[in-house]
Amino acid sequence: TRLYRAFREAHAAHDDLRRAARAGELDPQTRHRWPAIVLRTPKGWTGPHEVDGVQVEGTSRSHQVPLSGVKDDPDHLRLLEKWMRSYRPDELFDADGAPVAAVAALAPDGDLRMSATPHANGGRLRADLPLPGLEAFEVPVDTAARGGSRHENTEPFGRLMRDIYAADTRPDGGGTFRLFCPDETASNRLQAVFEQTDRCLVAPLEPTDEHLGADGRVVEVLSEHLCQGWLEGYVLSGRHGVFATYEAFAMVSASMTVQHVKWMQHAHELGWRAPVASLNLLLTSTCWRNDHNGFSHQGPGLIDALIPLSPEVVRVWLPPDANTTLSIADHCLRSSDHVNLIVVDKQKHLQYLTLEEAHRHCAAGAGVWEWAGNEHGARPDIVLACAGDVATQETLAAARLLREFTPDLSVRVVNVVDLMALMPENDHPHGYADSQFDELFTEHRHVVFAFHGYPRAIHQLVHGRSDPGRFHVRGFSEQGTTTTPFDMVVQNRMSRFHLATEALRRSGRRVEGWDRLKAHCDDSLRRHEAYVREHLEDMPEVRDLPALAR
């Protein structure tokens, strides 16, 4: 009776508050007390109090199997029967085991049933986002001097979300899109969203507060678990969103991401489940460009956590510049039933592709950048491959060194933007056929691969391809500190000088200029070590990199 009364009172109080809120009678800056019921019960309540002379109810033993010997122990079997009969099943079910009429009458009808409510099958409520055209956000690129300008790779994504907010607005001020972020929206260069909406704060505001409001549609709180959970609930209930966080701290909620993948994997097998918006994760402030944060903020492990999971669900994107980031963001926001991992740094980076070129490149997943190599003949002597913004920059700089010092060496440059393209076609929907893979990387030429994350990920993905031992991967090898951007790639042996030296060694041809380039790379690394410690910044020839196109 007391519990029933508590439910009735709480429900009435909830309804009163809800009606007042919808009528605009509540001050949104006041914290209102919503009803909550706290029911304290002993652990294992209503189960056997004691088994074999040992107390079970009210102890941790009730969390295990309280009656483990029912097959062989008559006393256990009697206790189990007494326990089950205490729920009076004869009053709830008829002789055929069906609920009696009084119980069946309590069940709601249609969509009011818990198993049928569209809020638990959110795809029934989902509507496409009103996505604007991308032309207004394009970062200009001079195709005659690719890599000749710098831009923050995530900044156009912020402007894209700003315009999504503008278009996705209901008369009551709400909408179906949210950005969730652990208090780093501006740090991640997504602050353009505040031109259209605020951070959500249902509390009194101070005069010094900026971009805060009760109706704000950016949700910031310093908890990756909360942000991830909010986004999961948001998309599963038929809406859309993005979770943006520092790359290393995405691992805080990695198990939640894995569980969402598993959920979607099995949801695909249920024809009655309508597709929901994809779980879109934007990882920025990456391991290579933390600058003032250092080793604690360096960790690309979420890539490794996701690539072994369901190929029907997982997508991993490594855009090299701003326009590819835009193209991928647009694709991910239009997609459904996927977990999209977008890894791109927030700092200013070199720009390579026009928006039109970015669309083609992202649709293909990978491609040869002819303007970056000096390939001549039927097959190159060496392939330089890259995936990730910093990895791409260092690869293109290495290709430039090879063109300058060893022009007779035939070099191909391959950029990978869709990591899943490296997998065989039978292992992932985006995977390349063996013929496509060999056309891109050749069948037997050595490949020096600069990768954003841990090198083992690439070896895992290319396993089973033609002569996989020819792939020599440089990536993050757990070397880092608070240091300069270029010193990070040097410490992890992924600098342009390391890549060029490796290309010389693996090419199999000692062409003219070979010794001179090797000496130049060794000398540059020595000068770098002394310079960066004396000046606390990178050498001018590294900072002021000229255009990287031929």
Side-chain angles (χ1 to χ4, degrees):
T1 302
R2 290 172 60 196
L3 181 60
Y4 174 77
R5 185 167 60 248
F7 272 121
R8 291 298 299 266
E9 291 174 357
H11 187 268
H14 180 278
D15 270 1
D16 288 344
L17 281 169
R18 183 181 60 177
R19 281 192 293 268
R22 291 181 174 177
E25 299 170 359
L26 296 183
D27 180 2
Q29 296 184 21
T30 300
R31 291 185 183 273
H32 300 279
R33 292 182 178 273
W34 290 83
I37 297 174
V38 179
L39 176 64
R40 296 183 62 185
T41 65
K43 196 171 183 67
W45 189 35
T46 74
H49 179 75
E50 185 179 287
V51 178
D52 297 333
V54 178
Q55 182 178 341
V56 174
E57 185 183 19
T59 74
S60 61
R61 298 182 189 91
S62 64
H63 191 65
Q64 308 302 316
V65 180
L67 295 168
S68 58
V70 293
K71 289 185 178 180
D72 306 311
D73 190 326
D75 289 336
H76 280 210
L77 185 59
R78 279 192 294 272
L79 281 172
L80 176 62
E81 182 177 2
K82 180 182 177 182
W83 180 11
M84 294 295 102
R85 289 191 180 280
S86 72
Y87 298 124
R88 300 182 301 206
D90 52 309
E91 299 178 15
L92 304 176
F93 302 96
D94 62 22
D96 296 324
V100 298
V103 172
L106 296 174
D109 296 323
D111 285 351
L112 294 177
R113 294 171 296 169
M114 185 180 296
S115 61
T117 172
H119 299 288
N121 186 5
R124 291 177 54 195
L125 301 175
R126 179 179 67 97
D128 291 339
L129 272 179
L131 291 169
L134 299 184
E135 294 74 19
F137 316 109
E138 179 176 6
V139 174
V141 171
D142 183 355
T143 57
R146 299 179 192 271
S149 61
R150 296 179 184 271
H151 199 87
E152 294 166 334
N153 284 341
T154 57
E155 186 271 340
F157 194 179
R159 289 188 283 127
L160 171 63
M161 288 191 286
R162 175 201 64 196
D163 286 11
I164 291 174
Y165 277 123
D168 179 48
T169 301
R170 299 193 306 256
D172 63 1
T176 62
F177 179 81
R178 293 290 187 276
L179 169 63
F180 302 93
C181 188
D183 83 344
E184 297 152 356
T185 300
S187 172
N188 291 332
R189 311 300 193 265
L190 305 174
Q191 65 272 21
V193 295
F194 297 130
E195 298 171 22
Q196 188 61 41
T197 188
D198 293 324
R199 299 177 180 90
C200 182
L201 181 67
V202 184
L205 299 180
E206 301 295 334
T208 55
D209 287 335
E210 291 184 337
H211 307 306
L212 289 173
D215 58 352
R217 289 185 282 163
V218 174
V219 185
E220 280 196 353
V221 62
L222 191 51
S223 169
E224 287 77 10
H225 289 109
L226 270 177
C227 291
Q228 168 99 18
W230 276 328
L231 177 60
E232 288 186 14
Y234 215 66
V235 299
L236 288 174
S237 56
R239 294 168 286 182
H240 305 259
V242 172
F243 170 32
T245 185
Y246 284 12
E247 180 183 43
F249 299 138
M251 293 302 292
V252 173
S253 55
S255 63
M256 297 175 67
T257 309
V258 171
Q259 293 304 312
H260 189 82
V261 172
K262 292 176 181 290
W263 162 258
M264 294 309 307
Q265 177 181 349
H266 284 280
H268 284 168
E269 301 171 6
L270 303 173
W272 53 268
R273 287 205 63 86
V276 296
S278 295
L279 193 80
N280 298 309
L281 310 180
L282 173 65
L283 307 191
T284 185
S285 192
T286 64
C287 61
W288 300 105
R289 289 296 305 273
N290 277 286
D291 299 337
H292 63 285
N293 280 318
F295 195 45
S296 64
H297 286 51
Q298 295 161 358
L302 193 61
I303 294 173
D304 297 70
L306 291 189
I307 58 177
L309 304 181
S310 170
E312 297 300 324
V313 178
V314 171
R315 306 288 184 266
V316 180
W317 307 95
L318 293 159
D321 65 2
N323 286 331
T324 49
T325 301
L326 271 176
S327 181
I328 289 166
D330 180 79
H331 169 80
C332 292
L333 290 171
R334 294 178 190 275
S335 69
S336 60
D337 286 352
H338 293 157
V339 170
N340 291 306
L341 188 64
I342 308 171
V343 186
V344 62
D345 188 56
K346 66 186 184 183
Q347 307 287 7
K348 287 187 175 181
H349 287 269
L350 302 181
Q351 302 300 308
Y352 313 112
L353 302 183
T354 66
L355 182 59
E356 182 180 351
E357 291 171 332
H359 284 322
R360 292 197 299 267
H361 184 53
C362 294
V368 176
W369 283 3
E370 296 178 355
W371 49 265
N374 66 334
E375 187 173 351
H376 43 78
R379 279 289 183 262
D381 297 314
I382 190 73
V383 177
L384 296 181
C386 49
D389 41 29
V390 171
T392 297
Q393 172 184 288
E394 293 306 306
T395 296
L396 296 179
R400 185 174 180 275
L401 289 171
L402 291 165
R403 293 198 309 269
E404 179 182 345
F405 283 85
T406 57
D408 291 336
L409 197 68
S410 181
V411 179
R412 174 182 293 182
V413 175
V414 174
N415 180 263
V416 178
V417 65
D418 178 357
L419 201 60
M420 300 295 96
L422 297 178
M423 298 182 72
E425 61 178 338
N426 293 331
D427 292 344
H428 196 281
H430 290 194
Y432 277 11
D434 285 340
S435 58
Q436 289 178 284
F437 189 90
D438 291 342
E439 184 64 25
L440 197 62
F441 294 104
T442 77
E443 294 183 39
H444 300 293
R445 291 291 193 266
H446 285 268
V447 180
V448 178
F449 203 127
F451 177 53
H452 171 86
Y454 295 114
R456 62 177 176 262
I458 298 299
H459 290 296
Q460 175 183 346
L461 292 169
V462 302
H463 178 75
R465 295 294 194 178
S466 55
D467 194 8
R470 65 197 171 97
F471 281 78
H472 313 283
V473 187
R474 300 293 180 95
F476 187 69
S477 56
E478 285 297 320
Q479 300 300 315
T481 183
T482 305
T483 188
T484 68
F486 188 69
D487 194 47
M488 274 299 299
V489 294
V490 170
Q491 288 195 31
N492 289 274
R493 300 178 62 81
M494 199 187 73
S495 77
R496 63 203 66 176
F497 304 119
H498 290 97
L499 298 176
T501 300
E502 185 76 353
L504 291 176
R505 188 164 74 93
R506 300 293 182 179
S507 67
R509 293 186 61 208
R510 204 175 184 90
V511 298
E512 183 179 352
W514 197 103
D515 293 317
R516 193 162 61 92
L517 177 53
K518 178 65 167 63
H520 172 76
C521 291
D522 292 343
D523 178 65
S524 296
L525 289 171
R526 283 192 294 268
R527 288 190 299 109
H528 159 77
E529 184 175 5
Y531 189 94
V532 76
R533 279 154 181 75
E534 179 179 356
H535 299 280
L536 303 179
E537 64 180 4
D538 291 323
M539 297 184 296
E541 61 263 40
V542 170
R543 295 197 314 270
D544 306 323
L545 195 65
L548 298 172
R550 284 188 286 121

